[in-house]
Amino acid sequence: MIERFGHGGDLETAQAAFGVDRSAIIDYSANINPLGPPPHVLTRVQQELKDVVHYPDPDHRRLRAMLAEALQVDASMICIGNGAAECMALALLAMAPKRVGVIYPCFSEYAELSRKFGADVIGIYGHAEQAFRAGVDEIIGLMRKVDLLFLGQPNNPTGVQYNLEELEKLAAIAAESDTMLIVDEAFIDFIAPDKQATLLPVVERYSHVILIRSMTKFYAIPGLRLGYAVAGPTLIQRLKSKQVTWSVNRLALAAGEACMVDCESYEEVTREQTVMEREYMIERLEREFGCQTWPSLANFILVRLPKPWTAEWLQTMLGRRGILIRNCAMYEGLSEADIRLAVKDRERSVILFEQLADVWQEGV
Amino acid sequence: MIERFGHGGDLETAQAAFGVDRSAIIDYSANINPLGPPPHVLTRVQQELKDVVHYPDPDHRRLRAMLAEALQVDASMICIGNGAAECMALALLAMAPKRVGVIYPCFSEYAELSRKFGADVIGIYGHAEQAFRAGVDEIIGLMRKVDLLFLGQPNNPTGVQYNLEELEKLAAIAAESDTMLIVDEAFIDFIAPDKQATLLPVVERYSHVILIRSMTKFYAIPGLRLGYAVAGPTLIQRLKSKQVTWSVNRLALAAGEACMVDCESYEEVTREQTVMEREYMIERLEREFGCQTWPSLANFILVRLPKPWTAEWLQTMLGRRGILIRNCAMYEGLSEADIRLAVKDRERSVILFEQLADVWQEGV
């Protein structure tokens, strides 16, 4: 198991564990856009290098203004963070919940960060036959017991969404039960705009809803760290009041600004490729390898291996061949046979399936 | 007043306030090495750009190992932070002090961060005739009243140190009175090694001492954010337990690693230039402009303007001429006549003094 720090994408640990050079690793364990960063974003970061001698803007003014225009909200409704993870931490620090609710399986940081900042975690389990979603009534029941609820939209590691009607119901109950609803939209950009279920256009109406987004997955810059929260101005002010000065570095801000310009075709190609390659991967996984998958809308797939294969064993076998996959055995609500695969490009997926076939043939 | 966010170096606000282009500003308000980053550090960051598609190492293994060797401590005694500011925040989150002690005048974040995370701040005042140091007995008195004490070493904005004997006394009392002593050594690298007063070689002996250092001021990379804490392994573990995963970005880690190699002559030149240019500035400030200064060991100078000049007025006059200075009027314990000037290179200081003479001649 190479998720020493609870996540995929840890090339250092993988290199040490499998004896493969990290630069040669094909990483299906982290859900990053396989196109890599848009070239003009890298150019902009390169130009910004001459300015690392200056502090970042502590108020993130330019990026907030650009995001505000793109999202059609006021700039006072945006808090830029050092990755989506910082936004989640700020929400926890600002709200200081005693009890946090989660719906398993979900991103491990919801529980990790909550415990880190002193909250107890209460979880309910999604149902395998509903792609691990819980029923809205069950979620409402949970909300009445907790001070803050994390909801992945689309959820990680399943890739499924709740629909808008369900979200609006939850948002209304959030206010009623004084429970902060944190909707983690870190992967929503991978979904075509007309298929995204998001409270964004109406978020200001809800006193108890915070949306959190990531710019590092879709634009392939996780090394730089960049995310943001969107909520009503009062909530955003509360998040900002807990933020450490200059926590967002200058190159991340510059990259974010560049992502807001001339990225339309990059965004379109990304979404098209995600759909196409996800279908390709699911088809082969099911047909050739007898795996079970769930209907993801995101750039990753939750996969249940057929007996007698285990996630740990497959991770080791593929790891030695230079391919990283995410072992999902430590996700509450999942099993030892569950893995998560990022959706990448055809070239690398062909290699993945070649290696998979090899491992399959060798047998357990 | 352009310290809208409590600090110098805010070029965005300065540009808006003074109508000068930020790229043309000469910034004496932020204490950054005027040499700029070592060229090979920038080269390394540039090379690392191709890897921003990967997450940073969540455990900062390479940089910790390199720092451990350089500082002659175990790697388990180091916590890398997203700037020294994050290290301070982690100390506050980990120790959750009810009362925090500070010695005015000092870095504003000590009080800001403490209040941000729920502590009350109790301050005592240093004495102008001791370069705004407080007596050790006074500090001990304060320590007995608080759960955590911040001490700048050298202190910002004064640039003076406590001596080793005083530090050891405070460290012993810290354990006795169960008060965490946070020694902020953000600027200590600017002092020649044989003149630095630091508990670093003995820090593991003290159960209640955490040293915090910055890499962004000395190596001129504040835009990247990089700092670290040094303390016994148990304390470091407590800090890390509050850190948000991936808070230190990949380019900052790469820059830090590059700073640990082949920087000897850069470091020497920096220290020599700091002494020489500081003396040059102090001499002219006192002789030509009748200012009062204090004996700084760091790369900045606290300056009291002669009557009737005020910091705010001078900041505006110089700001319009494209030169930023730090107005110290909002520092507890200082006056409306106090400014802080970074120590820079001769070329820029000549411009500073030309403009200063101009302003002086115009009169208030």
Side-chain angles (χ1 to χ4, degrees):
Chain A
M1 186 129 92
I2 55 162
E3 289 81 2
R4 268 185 62 191
F5 301 96
H7 298 281
D10 181 355
L11 301 187
E12 309 299 323
T13 299
Q15 171 169 300
F18 303 128
V20 289
D21 188 74
R22 51 181 293 288
S23 64
I25 288 173
I26 300 182
D27 185 8
Y28 276 85
S29 75
N31 305 318
I32 304 302
N33 189 337
L35 292 180
H40 76 279
V41 171
L42 284 185
T43 306
R44 170 70 191 278
V45 173
Q46 206 141 14
Q47 286 163 351
E48 192 74 14
L49 263 185
K50 68 169 181 348
D51 269 349
V52 291
V53 67
H54 299 299
Y55 281 91
D57 173 12
D59 200 27
H60 321 132
R61 281 161 275 198
R62 272 198 310 276
L63 180 54
R64 273 198 300 123
M66 294 174 88
L67 276 169
E69 203 186 319
L71 304 174
Q72 307 249 327
V73 299
D74 193 81
S76 64
M77 292 173 58
I78 298 174
C79 170
I80 311 284
N82 182 37
E86 190 195 23
C87 297
M88 292 176 197
L90 293 178
L92 289 164
L93 287 168
M95 308 308 161
K98 286 213 176 70
R99 279 171 303 275
V100 169
V102 299
I103 302 152
Y104 298 122
C106 61
F107 185 43
S108 60
E109 287 287 351
Y110 303 160
E112 280 287 317
L113 280 170
S114 299
R115 294 196 183 103
K116 197 170 265 186
F117 298 124
D120 291 327
V121 176
I122 303 180
I124 61 173
Y125 290 84
H127 310 288
E129 64 279 12
Q130 289 174 35
F132 296 100
R133 272 172 299 213
V136 168
D137 289 342
E138 296 169 289
I139 303 177
I140 291 173
L142 176 60
M143 285 175 86
R144 299 205 187 277
K145 288 188 205 142
V146 299
D147 308 303
L148 184 151
L149 179 90
F150 279 107
L151 190 81
Q153 177 76 354
N155 189 46
N156 175 4
T158 55
V160 296
Q161 289 191 119
Y162 291 88
N163 67 40
L164 200 52
E165 200 185 327
E166 292 169 321
L167 291 176
E168 284 177 337
K169 202 161 174 186
L170 295 178
I173 297 288
E176 192 191 302
S177 64
D178 194 17
T179 303
M180 197 57 56
L181 175 62
I182 312 290
V183 186
D184 173 10
E185 302 186 336
F187 292 100
I188 205 164
D189 288 333
F190 286 95
I191 303 177
D194 62 327
K195 294 206 168 72
Q196 295 175 5
T198 174
L199 293 170
L200 179 67
V202 293
V203 69
E204 203 179 355
R205 278 189 228 152
Y206 293 104
S207 59
H208 284 65
V209 175
I210 298 173
L211 310 179
I212 293 180
R213 292 188 172 188
S214 166
M215 296 186 76
T216 56
K217 293 150 184 79
F218 189 81
Y219 296 103
I221 48 172
L224 283 177
R225 319 303 304 126
L226 190 63
Y228 58 92
V230 187
T234 316
L235 286 179
I236 288 298
Q237 209 37 56
R238 288 177 69 185
L239 298 199
K240 283 184 168 180
S241 76
K242 297 296 175 183
Q243 192 164 36
V244 175
T245 311
W246 306 303
S247 71
V248 186
N249 71 85
R250 178 174 271 279
L251 301 186
L253 287 172
E257 289 163 30
C259 289
M260 303 309 294
V261 181
D262 291 337
C263 276
E264 293 80 3
S265 86
Y266 174 91
E267 292 162 1
E268 224 167 282
V269 171
T270 298
R271 287 172 189 135
E272 281 167 13
Q273 182 175 301
T274 301
V275 172
M276 198 168 65
E277 295 305 315
R278 193 175 58 215
E279 282 173 9
Y280 170 81
M281 289 174 70
I282 287 178
E283 210 268 330
R284 292 197 64 176
L285 285 164
E286 294 191 341
R287 186 171 46 82
E288 295 176 33
F289 299 91
C291 296
Q292 181 182 0
T293 66
W294 284 269
S296 169
L297 288 165
N299 62 325
F300 49 82
I301 310 164
L302 178 62
V303 181
R304 184 157 287 175
L305 302 172
K307 283 187 178 144
W309 308 91
T310 67
E312 186 166 0
W313 190 83
L314 187 63
Q315 183 181 62
T316 304
M317 296 308 284
L318 287 174
R320 289 186 192 148
R321 291 153 191 260
I323 295 177
L324 291 199
I325 62 170
R326 180 73 157 94
N327 178 349
C328 291
M330 79 279 275
Y331 274 94
E332 282 268 2
L334 293 182
S335 79
E336 288 194 338
D338 296 330
I339 63 169
R340 191 193 62 203
L341 294 175
V343 173
K344 295 183 96 75
D345 48 22
R346 187 66 51 99
E347 200 187 329
R348 282 178 277 195
S349 289
V350 165
I351 299 174
L352 168 70
F353 283 109
E354 272 171 19
Q355 298 298 325
L356 209 51
D358 248 35
V359 170
W360 233 246
Q361 203 144 35
E362 273 184 28
V364 182
Chain B
M1 185 128 91
I2 56 162
E3 288 81 4
R4 267 185 63 190
F5 301 96
H7 297 281
D10 181 355
L11 301 187
E12 308 300 322
T13 299
Q15 171 169 301
F18 303 128
V20 288
D21 188 74
R22 52 180 293 288
S23 64
I25 288 173
I26 301 183
D27 185 8
Y28 276 85
S29 74
N31 305 318
I32 303 302
N33 190 337
L35 291 181
H40 75 279
V41 171
L42 284 186
T43 306
R44 171 68 190 278
V45 173
Q46 207 142 14
Q47 287 164 351
E48 192 74 13
L49 264 185
K50 68 169 183 345
D51 269 349
V52 291
V53 67
H54 300 298
Y55 281 90
D57 173 12
D59 200 26
H60 319 131
R61 281 162 275 197
R62 273 198 310 276
L63 180 55
R64 275 199 298 124
M66 294 174 89
L67 276 169
E69 203 185 319
L71 303 174
Q72 306 251 327
V73 300
D74 193 82
S76 64
M77 291 173 60
I78 298 175
C79 171
I80 310 286
N82 182 34
E86 190 195 24
C87 296
M88 292 176 198
L90 293 179
L92 288 165
L93 286 168
M95 307 308 161
K98 286 213 176 67
R99 279 173 303 274
V100 168
V102 300
I103 303 152
Y104 296 123
C106 62
F107 185 45
S108 60
E109 287 286 351
Y110 302 161
E112 280 288 318
L113 280 170
S114 299
R115 294 195 184 105
K116 198 170 265 187
F117 297 125
D120 291 326
V121 175
I122 304 180
I124 61 173
Y125 290 84
H127 309 288
E129 64 280 12
Q130 289 174 36
F132 296 100
R133 270 172 300 213
V136 168
D137 288 343
E138 295 170 289
I139 302 177
I140 291 173
L142 176 59
M143 285 174 86
R144 297 204 188 277
K145 288 188 206 142
V146 299
D147 308 303
L148 184 151
L149 180 89
F150 279 107
L151 190 80
Q153 177 75 355
N155 189 45
N156 175 5
T158 56
V160 296
Q161 290 192 119
Y162 291 87
N163 67 39
L164 201 52
E165 201 185 324
E166 292 169 320
L167 291 176
E168 283 176 339
K169 203 161 171 183
L170 295 178
I173 297 289
E176 194 191 300
S177 64
D178 194 17
T179 303
M180 198 56 56
L181 175 61
I182 312 290
V183 187
D184 173 10
E185 301 187 336
F187 292 100
I188 204 164
D189 288 333
F190 286 95
I191 304 177
D194 63 326
K195 293 206 168 72
Q196 295 174 6
T198 174
L199 293 170
L200 179 66
V202 293
V203 69
E204 203 179 356
R205 276 189 230 151
Y206 293 104
S207 59
H208 284 65
V209 176
I210 298 173
L211 311 179
I212 293 180
R213 292 188 172 188
S214 166
M215 296 186 75
T216 55
K217 293 149 184 82
F218 190 81
Y219 296 103
I221 48 171
L224 282 177
R225 321 301 307 126
L226 191 63
Y228 57 93
V230 187
T234 315
L235 286 179
I236 289 298
Q237 209 38 56
R238 288 178 68 185
L239 298 199
K240 283 184 167 179
S241 76
K242 298 296 174 184
Q243 192 164 34
V244 176
T245 310
W246 307 303
S247 71
V248 186
N249 71 84
R250 178 173 272 277
L251 301 185
L253 288 171
E257 289 164 29
C259 289
M260 303 309 294
V261 181
D262 292 336
C263 277
E264 294 81 1
S265 85
Y266 174 91
E267 292 163 1
E268 225 167 279
V269 171
T270 299
R271 287 172 189 135
E272 281 167 14
Q273 182 176 302
T274 301
V275 172
M276 198 167 67
E277 296 305 315
R278 194 174 56 216
E279 282 173 8
Y280 170 81
M281 289 174 72
I282 288 178
E283 211 266 331
R284 292 196 65 177
L285 285 164
E286 294 191 340
R287 186 171 48 79
E288 296 175 31
F289 299 91
C291 297
Q292 181 182 0
T293 67
W294 284 269
S296 169
L297 287 165
N299 61 324
F300 48 82
I301 311 165
L302 177 62
V303 182
R304 184 158 287 175
L305 303 171
K307 284 187 177 147
W309 308 92
T310 66
E312 187 167 358
W313 191 84
L314 186 63
Q315 183 181 61
T316 304
M317 296 307 285
L318 287 175
R320 288 184 193 151
R321 290 152 192 262
I323 295 178
L324 291 199
I325 63 171
R326 180 72 156 94
N327 178 349
C328 290
M330 78 281 277
Y331 274 95
E332 282 269 2
L334 293 181
S335 80
E336 288 192 339
D338 296 329
I339 63 168
R340 192 193 63 201
L341 294 175
V343 173
K344 295 183 96 75
D345 50 21
R346 187 65 52 98
E347 201 185 328
R348 281 178 277 195
S349 288
V350 165
I351 299 173
L352 168 71
F353 283 109
E354 273 172 19
Q355 298 297 326
L356 208 51
D358 248 35
V359 170
W360 233 245
Q361 205 144 31
E362 274 184 27
V364 181

